Amino acid sequence: METIQSYLNQHDPEVAAVLDAESIRQKSTLSLIPSENYTSMAVRLALASSFTNKYAEGYPYFWENGERSMQKNGRYYRGQANTNDIERLAIERALKLFTPNPQAYHANVQPLSGSPANLAVLHAFLKPGDTFLGLSLDYGGHLTHGHRVNITGASYRAVSYRLNADYELDYDEIRELARLHSPKLIICGATAYPLQIDFQRLGEIAREAGALLVADIAHICGLCVTGHHPHPFPHADLVTTTTHKMLRGPRAGLILCKKELGPAIDQAVFPGLQGGPHMNTVAAMAIAFREAMSEDYKMYAGQIVRNAKTLAEVLQAEGFSLMGGRTENHLLLLDIVHSDNGLAAKDGHWLSIRWERAGLIANKNAVPGDKKPWYPSGMRLGTPAVTTLGMKEVEMRQVGDWIVRATRGADNDAELERIRVEIASMMERFAPRQFV
Ligand SMILES: *Cc1c(COP(=O)(O)O)cnc(C)c1O
């Protein structure tokens, strides 16, 4: 990394200075954003590889009678010997990592991120105006699950389901809505849901309604593939995920589906939605998939959950109110406005700025009933990134203590500065150079 940095310094000092500053920021503050992580050096190097120079529109195979003819070159331009090899490898590894039976499933590794992956799925099976069900953004759903400001809500008829009063998925309501609206597709999964998802039950509801079930496991994919959360297959017809959150790969998206849906998915990604795939990213994905098959990764996933539970316990003991009352995965959603512990904050926007002063990087989040998304009442915390650094239960108790102090002392600049110094000092022990 030293040589790369000095090369950049000579080549373009202006940009190098910003890259350096970001590296220092990541090394000295605590990332509690549940969708962030640190990639391995191997993933970083693949991203910087010569594949970034190559166009590879098309696929490294043709569909013939429902099967991929892997020996045939389906690219539009020449010079594809190596792009074909790397994409075939990425697909093979994705199927091995994510599906119960690689022969019966298909993987498309070309989506540029999670949002394009979801849009491609809708584009593959719905016409503009067709109905689908998704979790409301106000209750932890993703923008691409049909929010009105998103193209998925603008182009399709999106019907939102919500959570019950205990902040749990309300499967009876989903079934009712499915009966009432006959959607073509039901999408499940969330960005801010601390509890487990019952994919089996959702699969039954979808089949009863004649709808496809899409499980968007962007946040929890690492728990699903290591047995720390129920797996969406075989209940879901399709699975979408990002590869840069819990999976620790490059910033990208991935679609997995039953094999018979493969041709429609491929067509929807390219030429339906995208042009050339980012082959450097595909190479980095292949590396991340292999890393996620290791024993180390399995232990990592277990520790993520134990760390989240520990943090939840510490904060609950201090009177913080947790949406759902607990966590069963990698994230916690705190209601920091209505917490009954004398630590009530003005709003999540304000508190997240104050926490950042202390070196605690987290994100504000809407909770049910919030009217202003820019000034929500919640804060979302997650443990995937700190767990990658090697932090365990002991450190989570320390982090919980900092959160309490930074909330109680949110108006007190001197206290925030003291916490910032303490965090920077802990990060010196935990942020190995290769990560940032
Ligand atoms: C993060 C996320 C996405 C979108 O990913 P981007 O890569 O940011 O486009 C989609 N769905 C869910 C549930 C997510 O959490």
Side-chain angles (χ1 to χ4, degrees), residues 265-311:
I265 284 297
D266 282 0
Q267 181 77 16
V269 173
F270 172 86
L273 189 61
Q274 297 182 176
H278 297 183
M279 297 313 297
N280 56 326
T281 303
V282 172
M285 264 184 176
I287 291 173
F289 295 153
R290 182 160 174 268
E291 288 174 353
M293 289 179 214
S294 66
E295 269 312 301
D296 268 3
Y297 190 83
K298 206 172 268 181
M299 280 159 48
Y300 164 65
Q303 191 66 46
I304 288 175
V305 177
R306 285 195 295 280
N307 281 353
K309 279 197 175 20
T310 305
L311 192 54

Side-chain angles (χ1 to χ4, degrees), residues 35 112-118 140-145 187-192 216-220 240-245 251-253 380:
S35 47
L112 301 178
S113 212
S115 299
N118 284 343
H142 192 257
L143 274 170
T144 56
H145 295 190
I187 187 160
C188 64
T191 66
D216 176 355
I217 58 170
H219 263 260
I220 54 170
T240 59
T241 185
T242 54
T243 56
H244 50 277
K245 296 181 183 174
R251 306 197 76 81
R380 193 178 67 146

Side-chain angles (χ1 to χ4, degrees), residues 100 105 207 231-237 258:
Y105 289 87
R207 272 193 301 283
H231 202 290
F233 287 137
H235 314 294
D237 301 287
K258 294 182 172 161

